[in-house]
Amino acid sequence: MNVNDQEELVQALINDINRSSPYKKKPAVKKKWMTVSEMGNLLGLKKTDRYWLLHKDLFLHEEYYGKIRINIDSFEKWYANQIKYHKVTGEEPGLELKNKTYSVKDISKLLGICESCVYDLMKKDIFEVIIVDYWKRIPKKSFWSWYEGQSHYRTQQDKEKDAKIEAESITMPEMARLLGIKRNNVYSLLRNKQYCSYFEIVVIGDKKRITKDSFQRFLKAQSTYQLSPITEYKEVKQEKNPTLSNYRTSKLLTSNNRAVNGNLKYLTMDEAALLAKISRGMISKWMSEKKFSFIKIGSRVRIDRKEFEEWLKIREMEGRTK
């Protein structure tokens, strides 16, 4: 017999002795009960608080020979479904509760809205609300059932998806401007049996939009409606002030004359009045008082936009301090 065979034989004998030995170490038996003191120490509670919690019957406990014992499994179940008490070991409470429900703060972060807005939603009874340790929580199943049935509130993840869809679609007013027609005519087009099949409609935040691809299909399929020439004017395309952009677009639609509008550097008197929210006559009065620079081109007056907007800001600040 060689050395390796001898070592294997010895190991086999040792294993046989360990299996049959009355002194071998037995596996530890899982503890099922603990004392009130052990529970109190685990939660960092003083004697009065321990018994006050115990008498609320939140978990199973029984009395043996005059001493109260707490069922550990029942205690752990309670601990996983509450958020008020914390173990001194640092183990996080409410894991099962958090897995099944959302807090108001969770919903606030999820939807990107303030916590007071979440409470307003809860008052409308649109989803189930439960009370845990005096705190309101929303079952996840109930929340997502409500969320899937609406499109006004969006999670950050869905907002990113919406942004992609938004980039690939246009609004009804945008379609009206592109075609040089009124918004009411857009709705008539979408209902028209001759054209409705061309349009693909998507909904973002309760608002209907038309995909750019379907809009292009519509343009190619007919000759009655085509892109308005005003969409090529850089003054309209580059204007960042939506109020001014809409005003200029409206003027172009009715006159088809770009000269009736100002541009990125100059404003007409009507545009200045629109931005300042006052009458054209007051603009004329300010001009006579030389409050800002302006130029005359034939019969037309053009106001230096940068200087006018800066003067408006100064005027507003002075008005607040008075």
Side-chain angles (χ1 to χ4, degrees), residues 155-202:
T155 64
Q156 184 58 40
Q157 185 178 7
D158 281 343
K159 284 178 182 178
E160 292 174 1
K161 293 179 181 177
D162 291 346
K164 183 178 179 182
I165 297 173
E166 188 172 323
E168 298 172 350
S169 61
I170 57 175
T171 63
M172 308 298 178
E174 286 173 337
M175 179 174 167
R177 287 195 292 271
L178 287 169
L179 297 178
I181 60 177
K182 294 181 179 179
R183 191 186 303 186
N184 289 340
N185 297 131
V186 170
Y187 294 113
S188 297
L189 269 177
L190 297 177
R191 291 191 298 267
N192 191 305
K193 293 181 179 180
Q194 183 180 354
Y195 304 120
C196 65
S197 60
Y198 295 113
F199 297 109
E200 180 183 353
I201 297 176
V202 293

Side-chain angles (χ1 to χ4, degrees), residues 312-322:
L312 280 182
K313 290 179 182 178
I314 294 171
R315 180 174 176 271
E316 184 181 356
M317 291 177 65
E318 289 177 347
R320 289 176 180 173
T321 56
K322 291 181 181 179

